[in-house]
Amino acid sequence: MRTSLLFFGLLLILVGCKPSVDKNSKPNVVATTTMVSDLARQIGKDSIDVQGLMGSGVDPHLYKASEGDVSKLFNADLIVYNGLHLEGKMGEIFEKMRSQNIKTVALAETLDPLALMESEYFASNYDPHVWFNITFWKRMAGALKDELIALDPESATYYTANYEAYIEDLNNLETIVEQIIGSLPEEKRYLVTAHDAFNYFGRAYGFEVVGLQGLSTATEAGVQDVQRLADFIIEKKIKAIFVESSVPKRTIEALQAAVRAKDFEVSIGGTLYSDALGSAGTDEGEYIGMFLANVNTIVNALK
């Protein structure tokens, strides 16, 4: 409670001293997750300044904004975030920003709710891990393009060209992913990870997805969860399970040990990027590279 009061005390101070927008400067876009930051850079490129709050390996479910983050958000021309309560501990801050007439957009909430997967774990009642459906990602790219054009209409042609080029790249990604996954027999398409981040991926490509911690990493897996999933792995003769880059690997290691205790061997097939991209400057530090890395890791381990 004390931290929250200090936070919004700082915000009230900032309210009185926010500088007017310089029409000659680039629009200042502040994004939350690494995926959303990358999307903003793909569409805006060098016509905008993008400040990402979260880095590689950061879990957005548990992320708490710092005072520096609040300052960045308050001075933004546009705030973009995933939404659907992925950034669950930042909801009050987003509300405060909106109350100060700062344009704030939850990209996942521009999607058709009828296409989303329901979830009892989130206040929105929808699974927020929408970036693992490439079709959804295209639609979110379109929503962001429209927001950038509204913010900076003089660069509309530039944003539209960037968007169209990116959509072509995403179409190529879809083709490659379908080819790679097509090499994995359907009876081997079981994806066991630390938490249920991959349900949209599973629905798109015919995987049965089982997460040890459910949809949110804020929930802890218990002994019964581990034993239940160990029995499932043995029953289905699953060859590999996967660590996630933004979730401590101890839960998957405990699952592997539980399977071994029942006289069955399951390997750790590698690390998947779930709630964050890889390191900046690497292929996995961008959405397309991340998606390809995940698909190759999954298919190679389960073959």
Side-chain angles (χ1 to χ4, degrees):
M1 181 67 178
R2 179 179 174 81
T3 302
S4 179
L5 289 173
L6 289 172
F7 242 13
F8 294 114
L10 172 66
L11 181 59
L12 288 173
I13 293 172
L14 289 169
V15 166
C17 59
K18 182 176 181 180
S20 58
V21 176
D22 182 356
K23 297 299 183 182
N24 295 318
S25 66
K26 296 179 182 179
N28 179 25
V29 178
V30 177
T32 52
T33 69
T34 52
M35 291 78 67
V36 173
S37 296
D38 178 57
L39 185 59
R41 293 186 180 101
Q42 297 295 338
I43 307 301
K45 294 193 180 291
D46 56 5
S47 277
I48 63 175
D49 286 325
V50 180
Q51 297 186 73
L53 300 186
M54 304 179 197
S56 174
V58 173
D59 183 348
H61 297 285
L62 304 178
Y63 187 81
K64 295 181 180 179
S66 67
E67 291 184 5
D69 291 340
V70 174
S71 179
K72 289 176 183 176
L73 290 164
F74 183 75
N75 287 288
D77 297 312
L78 174 66
I79 297 168
V80 288
Y81 63 107
N82 187 84
L84 298 178
H85 294 268
L86 179 75
E87 305 95 337
K89 297 184 181 298
M90 296 183 67
E92 190 175 357
I93 294 174
F94 295 139
E95 287 296 325
K96 290 288 183 181
M97 295 302 154
R98 280 190 284 269
S99 74
Q100 298 303 318
N101 295 318
I102 300 171
K103 182 64 176 178
T104 305
V105 180
L107 292 176
E109 293 173 22
T110 66
L111 298 170
D112 181 357
L114 295 177
L116 300 178
M117 300 179 77
E118 294 186 355
S119 164
E120 63 185 39
Y121 296 101
F122 286 84
S124 64
N125 293 321
Y126 298 114
D127 182 342
H129 303 91
V130 292
W131 56 93
F132 285 121
N133 180 309
I134 300 173
T135 298
F136 287 172
W137 198 243
K138 292 179 194 176
R139 293 172 185 164
M140 291 165 69
L144 180 54
K145 179 257 298 178
D146 292 343
E147 292 294 343
L148 290 176
I149 290 173
L151 178 68
D152 179 23
E154 292 182 1
S155 299
T157 301
Y158 181 71
Y159 297 137
T160 300
N162 292 342
Y163 162 75
E164 290 174 349
Y166 190 53
I167 293 299
E168 186 174 344
D169 290 341
L170 292 175
N171 289 338
N172 291 334
L173 173 65
E174 282 185 308
T175 300
I176 295 169
V177 166
E178 287 169 1
Q179 290 172 347
I180 296 171
I181 292 177
S183 69
L184 181 67
E186 292 183 7
E187 65 269 18
K188 293 187 177 183
R189 295 184 190 181
Y190 292 98
L191 184 55
V192 179
T193 62
H195 83 298
D196 276 347
F198 294 91
N199 284 314
Y200 290 108
F201 175 87
R203 184 168 69 176
Y205 299 108
F207 282 81
E208 183 171 348
V209 178
V210 185
L212 188 55
Q213 290 177 253
L215 285 168
S216 173
T217 55
T219 60
E220 290 289 339
V223 174
Q224 288 185 337
D225 297 316
V226 172
Q227 293 301 322
R228 172 186 52 79
L229 192 45
D231 290 337
F232 178 82
I233 289 167
I234 295 167
E235 177 192 348
K236 302 297 183 182
K237 296 181 172 59
I238 296 171
K239 289 183 62 176
I241 57 181
F242 299 91
V243 174
E244 296 178 33
S245 63
S246 55
V247 181
K249 63 181 181 180
R250 63 179 180 270
T251 56
I252 288 298
E253 290 175 337
L255 176 59
Q256 184 186 39
V259 171
R260 185 175 294 132
K262 296 174 182 284
D263 297 321
F264 187 84
E265 284 295 330
V266 64
S267 67
I268 293 180
T271 299
L272 303 180
Y273 300 96
S274 56
D275 290 343
L277 301 179
S279 300
T282 67
D283 289 344
E284 295 80 9
E286 296 185 357
Y287 174 84
I288 290 175
M290 173 277 294
F291 210 104
L292 275 176
N294 277 354
V295 169
N296 281 314
T297 297
I298 291 166
V299 171
N300 289 336
L302 294 178
K303 270 188 177 180

